Amino acid sequence: MTPRRIAEAFLPQRAHYWYARCKLASDPLYAGVGAALRGTTAPLLDIGCGLGLLAHTLRDQGFASDYLGIDNDGRKIVAARTAAARAGLDKVYFDDVDLAAEPFPSHRGSVVVLDVLQFLPERAANDLLERAADCVVSGARLVIRSGLDNADARTRFTRAVDVFSHCVGWMNVAPNRYPTRSKLESRLARRGLRSRFTPLKGALPFNNWLIVAEKA
Ligand SMILES: C[S@@+](CC[C@H](N)C(=O)[O-])C[C@H]1O[C@@H](n2cnc3c(N)ncnc32)[C@H](O)[C@@H]1O
């Protein structure tokens, strides 16, 4: 499906339609996650799923297992449910959950955490990573996209865009802190996962990385 066809499922909400079109056309994230999950069949938990764009692109790429997206922005969850139903996505579910305040959902399979870690308080982000890592079974994957704290111009640009998203009301919280590669890698290793880091930033100077972790 083209970005336009996916975006049409969000009409008549024009802001969501244009967000989906621009995001899908400009960000290599969804193709990257599809490639990272290729060949897996375990159910997928999408933490901080936003509008649930990933569910549409994964179905497009042949990923047919159960998908559950959770987010603490109730309006996005309503929009995600409506669009998934309009697009006829099967076995795709959404729930309103605040991961900084509520228990981590019970899940066994793959987990994705895309552009979310920086919005959580440090302790909640660390807990989330550990709970997510513990969900991963053999043959499943934990896929994370995150800015990394390299204290450089790319890191500052990444933070500036996240602050802007909050100021214009697209994000319900401002960014907190970005993890460092070494801390992220060692935290996952302590939970028995081996991780690979690949830059994934598109045309703009973000400091975004795709991290794919699986059982060592
Ligand atoms: C930048 S968006 C990423 C959306 C989606 N993962 C994607 O890449 O298309 C970050 C998402 O994290 C969600 N989020 C932030 N804090 C959260 C929390 N405490 N619990 C659940 N979701 C949260 C926001 O509502 C937002 O939809």
Side-chain angles (χ1 to χ4, degrees):
M1 245 196 289
T2 61
R4 181 178 175 167
R5 288 299 300 281
I6 293 176
E8 278 169 358
F10 290 89
L11 287 172
Q13 287 259 25
R14 296 206 72 77
H16 290 165
Y17 169 84
W18 283 110
Y19 174 81
R21 271 198 78 169
C22 296
K23 181 85 173 163
L24 291 167
S26 63
D27 194 336
L29 174 65
Y30 305 103
V33 176
L37 290 174
R38 194 164 298 137
T40 68
T41 54
L44 177 65
L45 174 64
D46 182 357
I47 294 177
C49 61
L51 295 177
L53 290 178
L54 180 68
H56 296 255
T57 59
L58 283 179
R59 285 293 184 260
D60 228 24
Q61 294 170 87
F63 179 83
S65 304
D66 280 19
Y67 165 102
L68 171 63
I70 60 175
D71 201 288
N72 70 342
D73 186 329
R75 288 169 310 166
K76 288 183 187 166
I77 289 295
V78 170
R81 280 193 190 126
T82 309
R86 278 192 79 180
L89 303 188
D90 194 26
K91 296 191 292 174
V92 166
Y93 314 97
F94 295 96
D95 258 338
D96 187 344
V97 178
D98 182 354
L99 282 157
E102 295 175 59
F104 196 91
S106 157
H107 174 76
R108 305 282 287 162
S110 292
V111 183
V112 297
V113 187
L114 308 176
D115 299 346
V116 176
L117 288 178
Q118 70 269 33
F119 295 110
L120 297 173
E122 187 178 7
R123 189 164 176 180
N126 291 340
D127 283 352
L128 183 155
L129 275 177
E130 293 180 359
R131 299 290 81 74
D134 291 345
C135 293
V136 178
V137 294
S138 177
R141 284 173 202 142
L142 169 59
V143 183
I144 301 165
R145 184 167 77 170
S146 181
L148 294 179
D149 187 356
N150 293 348
D152 60 3
R154 284 182 181 276
T155 304
R156 286 192 291 277
F157 180 79
T158 308
R159 172 178 289 280
V161 172
D162 285 336
V163 170
F164 176 77
S165 302
H166 176 52
C167 292
V168 297
W170 177 248
M171 276 301 308
N172 52 6
V173 279
N176 203 302
R177 62 164 58 209
Y178 299 83
T180 62
R181 176 172 177 160
S182 59
K183 283 197 178 151
L184 198 50
E185 204 163 20
S186 51
R187 189 169 296 280
L188 295 178
R190 284 199 297 274
R191 309 310 282 198
L193 298 189
R194 184 183 48 230
S195 45
R196 276 179 287 122
F197 287 65
T198 317
L200 188 73
K201 53 186 182 294
L204 291 170
F206 288 106
N207 186 30
N208 280 338
W209 292 73
L210 191 72
I211 300 134
V212 181
E214 52 199 329
K215 288 243 171 246

